[in-house]
């Protein structure tokens, strides 16, 4: 329906300008960066939100990953899922296709992602590249030593785009308990997780609808 609305010129809506501007900055020369060391066949793709809000953690994570895979590259760019979800099919195919084809030509075979949405995009559209969640990777390879926070109770919000990815959901819990946390599950978790309210930029068009889902999750 969204693709059809774009095709007939009825969308994107004026309320979508904010997310489109955000995505535009993410793919711009000012905000994107590629580092592929010699022999690189895997890149770390942290995603725009994680790297933009947790810069120190992004760099620390990259340093830790490089100790496990010295030839690991790093790509700061946007997967363009906002455009995908708004029905901007032509733009999404052009932008994401250009990026993944360029990486493949440089000899990159796999992508290590942090963001659940990036995982979804690369899994569905990233061939011939393969994609792995950093949570799966760390749960298998081990994490840097840290002082465990023994017994502190936490709960985990499972993103709806990962509800059918049990290995990632298990890995997140394994990492949390490995650091000494006690995980208490919400009534809706894993494959029954509920929306956080942000899907498809609904909040920009119908904030009351988005807020209702957010309230459900906050209460749990």
């Amino acid at each position: 329906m969204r693709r059809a609305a774009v095709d007939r010129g009825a969308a994107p809506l004026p309320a979508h300008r904010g997310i489109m501007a955000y995505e535009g900055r993410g793919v711009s020369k000012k905000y994107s960066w590629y580092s592929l060391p010699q022999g690189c066949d895997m890149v770390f793709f942290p995603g725009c939100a994680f790297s933009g809000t947790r810069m120190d953690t992004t760099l620390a994570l990259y340093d830790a990953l490089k100790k496990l895979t010295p030839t690991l590259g790093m790509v700061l760019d946007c997967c363009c899922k906002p455009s995908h979800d708004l029905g901007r099919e032509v733009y999404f195919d052009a932008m994401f296709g250009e990026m993944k084809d360029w990486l493949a030509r440089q000899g990159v075979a796999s992508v290590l992602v942090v963001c659940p949405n990036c995982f979804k995009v690369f899994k569905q559209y990233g061939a011939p590249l393969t994609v792995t969640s950093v949570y799966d990777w760390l749960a298998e390879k081990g994490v840097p030593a840290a002082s465990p926070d023994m017994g502190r109770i936490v709960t985990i919000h499972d993103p709806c785009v990962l509800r059918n990815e049990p290995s990632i959901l298990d890995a997140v819990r394994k990492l949390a308990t490995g650091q000494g946390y006690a995980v208490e599950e919400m009534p809706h978790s894993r494959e029954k997780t509920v929306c956080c309210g942000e899907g498809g930029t609904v909040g920009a068009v119908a904030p009351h609808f988005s807020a209702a889902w957010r309230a459900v999750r906050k209460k749990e």
Side-chain angles (χ1 to χ4, degrees), residues 35-190:
S35 175
L36 307 182
Q38 188 173 1
C40 172
D41 63 358
M42 175 186 281
V43 295
F44 174 49
F45 194 96
C48 46
F50 182 75
S51 58
T53 59
R54 293 162 176 82
M55 294 173 284
D56 292 343
T57 306
T58 300
L59 293 174
L61 178 55
Y62 181 49
D63 288 341
L65 293 170
K66 278 184 68 70
K67 292 177 182 176
L68 299 170
T69 308
T71 59
L72 181 69
M74 185 175 186
V75 173
L76 298 179
D77 209 334
C78 178
C79 72
C80 291
K81 192 172 189 289
S83 280
H84 173 275
D85 290 359
L86 291 178
R88 302 175 71 206
E89 186 174 28
V90 173
Y91 180 85
F92 169 77
D93 288 344
M95 297 299 291
F96 181 76
E98 179 185 35
M99 176 177 65
K100 63 108 172 178
D101 289 346
W102 186 87
L103 289 173
R105 290 196 301 270
Q106 308 313 307
V108 174
S110 57
V111 181
L112 197 58
V113 301
V114 174
C115 173
N117 286 309
C118 292
F119 178 87
K120 186 81 169 182
V121 168
F122 275 101
K123 183 176 181 179
Q124 188 168 354
Y125 301 101
L129 306 177
T130 60
V131 62
T132 302
S133 165
V134 72
Y135 305 106
D136 269 332
W137 186 264
L138 290 174
E140 178 185 350
K141 303 290 185 180
V143 296
S147 299
D149 199 343
M150 300 301 295
R152 183 180 180 188
I153 298 175
V154 298
T155 195
I156 294 171
H157 168 66
D158 297 310
C160 53
V161 295
L162 296 181
R163 61 161 49 101
N164 295 317
E165 301 292 340
S167 68
I168 301 178
L169 306 182
D170 289 341
V172 170
R173 287 158 174 79
K174 180 179 178 180
L175 293 169
T177 56
Q179 294 298 309
Y181 294 102
V183 177
E184 184 174 312
E185 299 288 1
M186 286 185 271
H188 294 91
S189 63
R190 296 182 178 268

